[in-house]
Amino acid sequence: MLRSSQPLTGPNRKRCREDEMLLGTVLDKGERGFIIDTRSAQAAKQARMTGGGTEPKSSYPQWRRLHRPLERGRQLQESFMKLVEACNDTSATMDRWLSRLESCRWLSHVKAALSTACLAAQCVDREEATVLVHGAEGTDTTLLVTALAQVILDPSCRTLRGFQGLLEREWIEAGHPFHLRCARSASSHARPKQEAPLFLLFLDCVWQLSRQFPFSLEFGERLLLILFDNAYASAYGTFLCNNEKERCLCKVKENTHSLWAWLNQPAERTKYLNPLYSHNPLVIWPSVEPQSIQLWQGLFFRWIRSSQHLDEAWAEIQRLVENN
């Protein structure tokens, strides 16, 4: 599986021989690869007017391009804010709550992300084909799809340390602009153009996987909540800045502590483990039917509903597993 930004073909349909040779080397003669573009065909076409574009069939004859549009900007942020507002409205009637939940379209974004990740995973696992994923810059929906596909395909990415390595590799080192995307909380009245909850959408999709496959992930919901909190406000430097260059210039590693070092302390680590975990070497294929996608109550209702009883039940499960 490969990831990149869009090719810079522009309105004149410029070619890049080096790009063509690079993608050609990953396929043997007669093999076919898939390019999953996370933009719509129309958006990719419009991108040519500003210097971007897509891979022309004539220049990449062994590659088949598939468009699976995913929202990544203001529309996704608006959806998130509408959902937060709806969840905090405790006076809403049942009909109004269901109407607001549907109109915010957050669960539709979750479904679309999981569906696209499953497509990428199927190309690798069932077609045994090479897959290139990209959108525009390759730092938002591209990372969402490649990271989710790896959780689906690779059991090592479902362990606590493996998941941390996945985040480091696919989100932090790959340059997801955390500073721009997570500048303010969803409750803020300010609406900067660059803000979008892509990382939260990824965590929500992982939560959906953990719910559908309760024995296959070594970590539980508490870890996902901690990651969400630290992406928006943290005492650690792990999610600071927008890319590796900025982190080097700010000397983040020298001047801050790592979130991973804290999470991996023995006393902390046990808090985030799933007591029901059993190593599953198989690919996990989530259901993306509307009935299978649920609202992440542990996150979106955490400020209006106490989790005390759930926490106590989880602790009891952990105690029973340890005693057996």
Side-chain angles (χ1 to χ4, degrees):
M1 185 178 296
L2 311 170
R3 50 174 161 73
S4 72
S5 58
Q6 64 182 328
L8 304 180
T9 55
N12 298 324
R13 297 179 180 271
K14 293 182 292 185
R15 295 180 64 179
C16 179
R17 304 288 184 181
E18 292 80 4
D19 281 355
E20 295 168 18
M21 289 178 59
L22 180 63
L23 288 188
T25 58
V26 302
L27 298 178
D28 292 331
K29 188 175 181 180
E31 283 189 337
R32 181 178 65 169
F34 293 91
I35 296 173
I36 298 179
D37 195 326
T38 60
R39 303 166 294 177
S40 66
Q42 182 62 29
K45 186 177 180 180
Q46 291 175 347
R48 285 210 304 266
M49 303 308 296
T50 56
T54 58
E55 295 81 0
K57 291 182 180 179
S58 58
S59 302
Y60 300 88
Q62 290 179 267
W63 295 85
R64 179 186 175 190
R65 190 171 68 248
L66 306 171
H67 289 278
R68 293 296 185 271
L70 297 175
E71 297 293 347
R72 68 181 185 92
R74 176 165 292 183
Q75 287 181 304
L76 186 61
Q77 179 69 8
E78 291 285 346
S79 175
F80 177 39
M81 296 174 71
K82 287 179 181 178
L83 176 58
V84 171
E85 290 173 0
C87 290
N88 287 327
D89 183 6
T90 55
S91 63
T93 63
M94 175 63 77
D95 289 344
R96 178 160 175 75
W97 157 249
L98 293 176
S99 175
R100 292 181 70 175
L101 179 62
E102 181 180 6
S103 65
C104 75
R105 299 192 66 249
W106 179 260
L107 296 183
S108 297
H109 297 309
V110 172
K111 180 183 185 300
L114 282 172
S115 298
T116 306
C118 284
L119 173 62
Q122 287 171 354
C123 291
V124 173
D125 182 66
R126 296 181 177 175
E127 299 291 330
E128 296 184 348
T130 299
V131 178
L132 169 65
V133 183
H134 73 66
E137 292 84 8
T139 56
D140 288 295
T141 53
T142 302
L143 307 183
L144 172 66
V145 172
T146 57
L148 279 176
Q150 289 178 67
V151 175
I152 291 170
L153 290 168
D154 188 356
S156 70
C157 292
R158 300 176 219 141
T159 65
L160 183 58
R161 284 194 178 274
F163 189 65
Q164 292 173 22
L166 176 73
L167 298 181
E168 187 73 29
R169 179 176 68 251
E170 294 298 313
W171 288 91
I172 298 171
E173 293 178 355
H176 179 64
F178 281 97
H179 178 69
L180 290 174
R181 299 290 183 263
C182 306
R184 293 179 174 85
S185 72
S187 302
S188 172
H189 295 293
R191 301 187 181 185
K193 295 169 64 175
Q194 298 283 353
E195 191 157 356
L198 267 302
F199 186 61
L200 168 59
L201 182 57
F202 167 71
L203 296 178
D204 197 329
C205 290
V206 174
W207 179 81
Q208 304 289 337
L209 290 172
S210 71
R211 191 188 60 80
Q212 293 190 28
F213 300 93
F215 304 105
S216 296
L217 277 67
E218 188 186 24
F219 50 88
E221 179 185 60
R222 184 177 291 184
L223 175 71
L224 302 178
L225 294 174
I226 285 292
L227 292 171
F228 166 74
D229 291 339
N230 279 271
Y232 279 87
S234 180
Y236 302 90
T238 302
F239 296 116
L240 289 180
C241 303
N242 293 310
N243 49 55
E244 283 296 292
K245 180 180 178 181
E246 288 187 10
R247 281 186 280 273
C248 288
L249 291 174
C250 295
K251 297 183 178 180
V252 168
K253 290 184 178 179
E254 292 85 349
N255 297 326
T256 67
H257 294 287
S258 168
L259 175 63
W260 312 135
W262 175 64
L263 289 177
N264 290 322
Q265 295 178 97
E268 288 295 324
R269 176 182 169 84
T270 56
K271 297 178 183 178
Y272 308 104
L273 293 177
N274 174 11
L276 301 177
Y277 172 68
S278 177
H279 175 70
N280 179 5
L282 304 175
V283 177
I284 55 173
W285 297 109
S287 170
V288 293
E289 294 299 320
Q291 299 90 335
S292 301
I293 307 297
Q294 294 190 8
L295 181 66
W296 185 5
Q297 297 185 29
L299 173 67
F300 295 109
F301 290 162
R302 66 193 296 201
W303 292 283
I304 62 172
R305 179 186 297 173
S306 173
S307 63
Q308 176 186 350
H309 298 303
L310 288 175
D311 292 339
E312 291 174 351
W314 196 252
E316 180 63 16
I317 292 173
Q318 194 165 19
R319 186 187 67 79
L320 292 173
V321 170
E322 290 173 352
N323 290 341
N324 290 335

